[in-house]
Amino acid sequence: MKNGAIVEINGHKWKVLDQTEKGVVCICENIWDRKFDQKTNNYANSDIRKYLNTEFLKELEVAVGAENIILFERELISLCGLKEYGTCEDKVSLISVDEYRKYRELLPRTGEWWWTLTPDSVASNGDELWVTVVSPSGYFFGNLCYDCLGVRPFCIFSPSIFESRAVKEIE
């Protein structure tokens, strides 16, 4: 599977972004609206993280097997460079601003607003509500965590699901 390929998994289109020692890094092409959280820009404590790693993850595990979705660490560095929120581990996440920059050439404009996991700043700096989002034209913008914006799950799959043809390229 080459970078940029589109595959279908559990009724969702996923774009292959990278192949690392951990596995195949993918982002969901389908976008649906959901709040980040009611009161925090800290992804580790957010409603969107809980949803992605429970309901959404369960559906994904049925499609590809729990063992084929790789747990990975998320660095929760704010847009202004503060590290107060630390790290967390997820099987399904949102992309960070730094990852968006890394994979930007493979992520064309969507015409929609969508969340990253990157807070604009942190609580000790007086900001508990603003989260960095990607605009319809691809630039960064700050948005309040309690608004409904696009969700694009981001995860790492075991290469075995691509080798076994359990998942096939569709575009």
Side-chain angles (χ1 to χ4, degrees):
M1 204 56 58
K2 63 182 188 169
N3 295 351
I6 305 288
V7 297
E8 187 171 340
I9 302 172
N10 198 33
H12 296 286
K13 290 181 180 179
W14 291 81
K15 180 170 273 190
V16 174
L17 297 178
D18 205 352
Q19 286 153 74
T20 69
E21 66 285 343
K22 284 190 167 246
V24 181
V25 178
C26 295
I27 191 167
C28 192
E29 289 282 281
N30 301 66
I31 300 176
W32 60 92
D33 287 345
R34 192 171 189 92
K35 291 178 184 180
F36 188 90
D37 193 82
Q38 266 313 106
K39 59 184 179 193
T40 184
N41 64 358
N42 183 345
Y43 175 75
N45 300 327
S46 69
D47 291 337
I48 192 64
R49 179 175 182 239
K50 289 176 193 136
Y51 166 75
L52 290 172
N53 284 279
T54 56
E55 293 175 52
F56 188 81
L57 177 60
K58 286 178 189 171
E59 293 175 16
L60 208 50
E61 287 174 341
V62 168
V64 299
E67 71 282 2
N68 291 312
I69 306 165
I70 311 302
L71 186 69
F72 61 113
E73 185 175 77
R74 311 305 291 135
E75 289 188 282
L76 306 178
I77 302 169
S78 70
L79 193 60
C80 66
L82 299 174
K83 298 179 181 181
E84 177 179 318
Y85 294 159
T87 63
C88 62
E89 289 188 323
D90 288 335
K91 282 193 160 192
V92 183
S93 187
L94 296 176
I95 197 168
S96 71
V97 164
D98 291 334
E99 290 160 338
Y100 178 79
R101 285 183 184 122
K102 179 179 180 179
Y103 300 120
R104 179 64 178 104
E105 290 184 20
L106 295 170
L107 295 167
R109 295 179 301 181
T110 63
E112 298 185 48
W113 295 90
W114 50 280
W115 299 111
T116 71
L117 63 70
T118 305
D120 280 8
S121 194
V122 295
S124 67
N125 205 36
D127 180 2
E128 294 180 83
L129 298 177
W130 292 89
V131 180
T132 306
V133 298
V134 179
S135 76
S137 59
Y139 66 86
F140 298 125
F141 199 78
N143 207 89
L144 292 167
C145 64
Y146 49 76
D147 286 341
C148 281
L149 294 179
V151 176
R152 295 186 75 183
F154 178 74
C155 57
I156 302 174
F157 294 106
S158 168
S160 64
I161 66 170
F162 300 93
E163 294 163 4
S164 70
R165 304 268 182 217
V167 173
K168 55 185 165 180
E169 191 171 348
I170 57 173
E171 290 179 23

